[in-house]
Amino acid sequence: MWKGLIEEYKEFLPVTENTPALTLNEGNTPLIHLVNLSKELGIELYGKIEGANPTGSFKDRGMVFAVAKAIEDGAKCVICASTGNTSAAASAYAARAGIQSIVVIPKGKVALGKLAQACMYGAKIIEIDGNFDDALAIVRQVSETTPVKLVNSVNPYRIEGQKTAAFEIVDSLGQAPEYLCIPVGNAGNISAYWKGFKEYNEAKNTGLPKMYGFEAEGAAAIVKGEPITNPETVATAIRIGNPASWKLAEAARDESEGIIDSVTDDEILAAYQLIARSEGIFVEPGSAASLAGVIKSVNNGKITKGSHVVTVFTGNGLKDPDTAMSVSKVDLVSLKNDEEEIRQYIEGIL
Ligand code: F0G
């Protein structure tokens, strides 16, 4: 039986005898060969389905370890800023561990499912008239002067936990893919994957991918080379104008001979619908930025035809029902509770 990340990967993590055995059985997520899109794009494309984690996003990988280490340090309360997924994961693992969580979020800019999670897991939720970058600046300050442990990805244990996704990809494929495509928001995850690929390569000689990161165009600080004061994108998960791990993400890009590029909201929403319709995989808009980036890179020649590409789907589509319904042109057909009427309708569309 899968025992969760801390137990499964303890030889690669700074685990001590005092680290609690915290887990919600996170990790071990599917790597799915995207057969239809592979054919369409002329590459071998795989999707890492991080929405299959316990709270529906990759954040569980980092959070299980950050919360475990916080408890090891004696913390009774964790705090984070979030566009939604970090807050869901922090509050879930805090609940599991029996400690308090406090989350600070941008008012009106967190997808409904994520907010529902923080409510259900029992977080104290503070919403501010400001964006993620403002919230992060505040919680960084507060955590320095109060006995609350910061669990944003500036906490190095978050990166340690998140690097395990790279291990799983290599174990599934037998070696690293040629390209690893990933959305970029606060830039922690691209940094974590690169660390994971490098450590596994050192231990097992499994090769290294080129790291391809994709920001949303309205929040593309790294691409533009300067912070964005008012980031805007339909992909609220990555609506971030001043990524905390900016330097680490640039290092991942440069060391791997990769790129960090941007994709437009139109490209994100097209990829969001394409992955659901063509492969039966429902991801949230922020996650679709990576597939939008794959498509852009195949079209402009930055991904070579025939190559092996892994795209990371960071969060589950169920988290953001509002965006799903607003892009869906499906009209619900309301019929009588009557077999004949329903049969006639079905015969009409066949
Ligand atoms: N995809 C999703 C679904 C996310 O929630 C995030 C970040 C990212 C991608 C980007 O990852 O920040 O490591 O570059 N969400 C954070 C949050 C900011 O608060 O949930 P990153």
Side-chain angles (χ1 to χ4, degrees), residues 151-226:
V151 290
N152 280 105
S153 57
V154 291
N155 177 328
Y157 298 125
R158 280 279 312 279
I159 304 290
E160 289 298 316
Q162 284 173 212
K163 76 184 180 189
T164 59
F167 301 165
E168 292 177 14
I169 289 171
V170 172
D171 284 340
S172 298
L173 296 176
Q175 60 182 34
E178 289 161 271
Y179 302 89
L180 189 285
C181 299
I182 190 165
V184 173
N186 208 27
N189 210 25
I190 187 172
S191 313
Y193 268 80
W194 182 235
K195 189 168 196 288
F197 283 119
K198 282 195 299 189
E199 288 181 8
Y200 232 45
N201 185 44
E202 255 169 49
K204 303 178 183 226
N205 202 18
T206 45
L208 294 169
K210 292 185 193 310
M211 300 295 292
Y212 276 31
F214 298 98
E215 297 183 295
E217 192 179 68
I222 299 175
V223 174
K224 300 208 164 104
E226 58 183 16

Side-chain angles (χ1 to χ4, degrees), residues 58-59 81-86 114 132 162 183-189 237-238 240 284 286-287 314-315:
F58 73 97
K59 303 288 181 180
S82 185
T83 58
N85 282 323
T86 299
K114 303 176 189 180
F132 170 86
Q162 284 173 212
V184 173
N186 208 27
N189 210 25
I238 53 172
I240 293 172
E284 63 168 288
S287 301
T314 46

